[in-house]
Amino acid sequence: MASPANFLRLCLRPSRRLPTLRIAALQQPVLHRPLSTTQWRSAAADENAGKEEAEDEINEVFNNPGQYLSSFLRDEKITEEERQLATRMLEDWQKVPPNMRKTIEKLTEEITDASAPLRRPVVPKRDSFWNSEEPDTDLITDEVGEDDFEEDDIMAMGHAKLEEHREFREYARIAVWEMPLLSKLAKPFQPPTEEQVLRFRYTTYMGEFHPADRKVVVEFCPKDLPGLTEAQQLKLKKLAGARYNPEKDIIKMSCEKFEHQAQNKRYLGDLVNKMIETAKDPSDMFEDIPLDTRHHKFKQQIKFPKEWLLTEERKKELHEQRKQALLLDEAKRTEGSLIDGVETIQQALLHAKVEEAVPVLRGRSGRGRR
Amino acid sequence: MSAPNCLRCLVRPSAGIPVASVPRARAPLANLAPITAARSAPFSTTAANAKAKASSQKEAASARGGKKLQLGKFKKKDRTADKGRPPLPGERKAYRKRITLSNDNAIPVPWLTDLGPTDLAASENVAKVKSLPEELQDQLRASEAFKPTQRWGMFRKPAVLVRKETVDLANQMQDSANKKQMLRLVVTGDKVAGKSMMVLQAMAHAFLNDWIVIHLPEAQDLTTACTEYAPIPGTDPVQYMQPVYVLKLIQALRRANEKVLSKTYTTQAHPQLPQNIGANTPLLTLANLAKEPDNAWAVFQALWNELTAKGANRPPVLLSLDGLAHAMRLSDYRSPAFELIHSHDLSLLRLFANTLGGGVQFPGGGAVVAATSRNNAPRAPSMELALAQREAEQRLRAANNNNNSAPGDIEVPQKDPFFRGYDERVEAVLRSVQVLRVGGLDKLEARALMEYWAASGMLRATVDERTVTEKWALAGNGVVGEMERASLMTMRV
């Protein structure tokens, strides 16, 4: 209560009318049982507390810090320390030149007047139907007297529709006339140079807060890093573990453990440096550990075989093959060596000896055979 | 005029429920509920019959139920038809596994000639169908080379198509026999591509050329814990013999190779056998000693020692096995410590693995041929990898020899360093074997085969290029089993 910061706060806000809103909110009855027949009454203790607070908050309107300080000093409950501080500040205020004092007072008054509607207490109407008097921002009309038809103009909805159309056209004009001018500001793409081996990726949500907007991803190819021998590159890949993509030969790491993008990026940069340093360290080159690629699923690229393409040549070749096959068949046919399954069977049946019917015992055993 | 039904609550006004007269606001749902519940079907006009129907349904349900308790003295006779004798144990399996080698209804093919000793190695016989001579049939049948999945029973006489791979294999076998070396070869390929048939043809070549053939028809018989086993005393690490299986094997060996074994003589005495076998006894006599499982393993070992005796005059030996994957993994047998026994600790398979790995040299040369199976194959990652490696190495060597194709695009597959399932013993065995990949037939071979089918009356079509190409393409570029399925096994008549 007595800190200088608190004083300053109080001085800068001399008007104490704002809390009325809170009072209104406080006095709203909380209904515990909606169908209760007993009338609602606030608890006695609550009422007293509310009153005290109200007393504490309201009353005077101060036009400048001096008035506030002198009123504060009139209070008898404050401690000695506070009193001394307030006295000193009051003296300071009195040293302020009158011009400036007037300006401050005027400013205070203006602010008070301008913010008056904000401070008006919001009291929900008791017998409103579904808060129908609240403005609906999604509706395109202002809903004031829109059903009244004076026979001299189109209806409010019509006007609103027109307004909407105008808005569309405005944006269309911007798109046609002004957006192309943006291309003047475009910068040509410059591919990264050999020194820029790390590729960072950031995410922005266009100024909105998002838990992922701090995430930074870095990608680099171990081959691009300058001054690394083959063995060192291999060690670097082994160090990267599951972050290494053997198909693309790229190490990809991300960081989102710090609050800001820059911190995460810094961390990644340091980490890459550390990895390179470790990879260059000849004391243990991990030669006994094979490169682990179990985390990666190799995707087999299936291509249409070139030999299967029906080029003109291939078509000719196939045509020739078919012709040869037909010729072969024809030659066999004339020669008589072409084999026809059906014909073979018929010939065999013709030449087959007809066996004499053997008498077979009828009865159980005959049936049992099947 | 009002509608006959109450339009709000869909209750039909009847004499019992004066719905229309009750103002809706005052008739709470709770009052209506018991009335509607009592009427099972509010829209039905047959409310009175509902109860009777329900009782009749109940009766029907009881009549339909399975067993009925029969009270009373006289029981009705069971009127179900006499089902006859149930099959004896093993009868169904015997029926399933029986091998029929001829079909009297099939038309004999006039141009079919029997296989001669050199026919399988002659390249002019490629794309020709040759029949198996009677004696060879008996030998092959004795050594269980025919399989019930093969379509022998459709034709008048068993016949085989000589393929490029066959000629290649037979030539390699002949070469190794001439040089008195061992050909160590694994036949591999896609499903139903003819791998077992390739083993059969190798055996046929061996039988026709008076080799001794030892054939293990299914490796799974040895490793899936279906046959008895016992530790062999005095072995370290402990090996296990399978006496019953070995007895069967010796008998098959004796029956199939009778002629050759009777002409081959022992070089040393075998005092460990109860019967006194001296030197210069025919091997057939030795094989005849195995009469019961007890001494089978000892006899087999004696036989094996004789066959591998250094410097002896012996015919070449063919050792063949089908279903290699079963022999290249942990078997289902357990040691006394209840640990799984590796297949290579089963002594018979150990001998085979040693031979395949190059550890055994037959004095007369010979071949070890193993075929993989694609349908009945447990996972054997080491075997698959080793075979892929050997195949890639062969192609690489061939490319280097030819110097025309680029060997750069042939890559020898490497072990996955983070995979645990590899087996070093298997790798050691397969480190230097040859791999013969059996692929699809070419059009010429396909045509020859289909002509044989049509001439046997099993394919009711004209065998011209069009039909051949159609079936060949349907069969995934001439996979022979698929061709059978596409043309022989269809029911189109």
Side-chain angles (χ1 to χ4, degrees), chain A residues 289-294 321 324-326 328-329 332-333 337-342 344-345 348 364, chain B residues 82 107 111 416-418 443 447 450-452 454-466:
Chain A
I289 301 171
L291 182 65
D292 187 2
T293 57
R294 280 172 295 172
Q321 274 179 17
Q324 288 299 326
L326 282 179
L328 187 76
D329 281 344
K332 283 205 162 191
R333 194 166 285 136
S337 62
L338 192 76
I339 293 165
D340 188 347
V342 181
T344 318
I345 293 170
R364 261 191 104 92
Chain B
D82 184 19
I107 302 161
W111 70 79
D416 179 2
F418 290 96
K443 291 260 179 74
R447 182 164 187 147
M450 286 179 70
E451 278 178 349
Y452 171 66
S456 297
M458 287 296 140
L459 176 67
R460 290 175 185 242
T462 314
V463 184
D464 51 7
E465 279 299 303
R466 190 191 156 82

Side-chain angles (χ1 to χ4, degrees), chain A residues 208-250:
Chain A
E208 274 180 38
F209 172 77
H210 193 279
D213 62 2
R214 64 187 67 155
K215 179 173 175 173
V216 180
V217 182
V218 66
E219 283 184 343
F220 62 96
C221 174
K223 245 183 229 164
D224 294 346
L225 295 176
L228 279 188
T229 62
E230 288 280 322
Q232 288 167 349
Q233 281 176 22
L234 189 62
K235 187 179 172 187
L236 186 66
K237 289 172 195 171
K238 287 172 189 170
L239 283 173
R243 295 165 196 85
Y244 174 64
N245 181 340
E247 215 164 1
K248 295 179 183 168
D249 194 24
I250 274 179

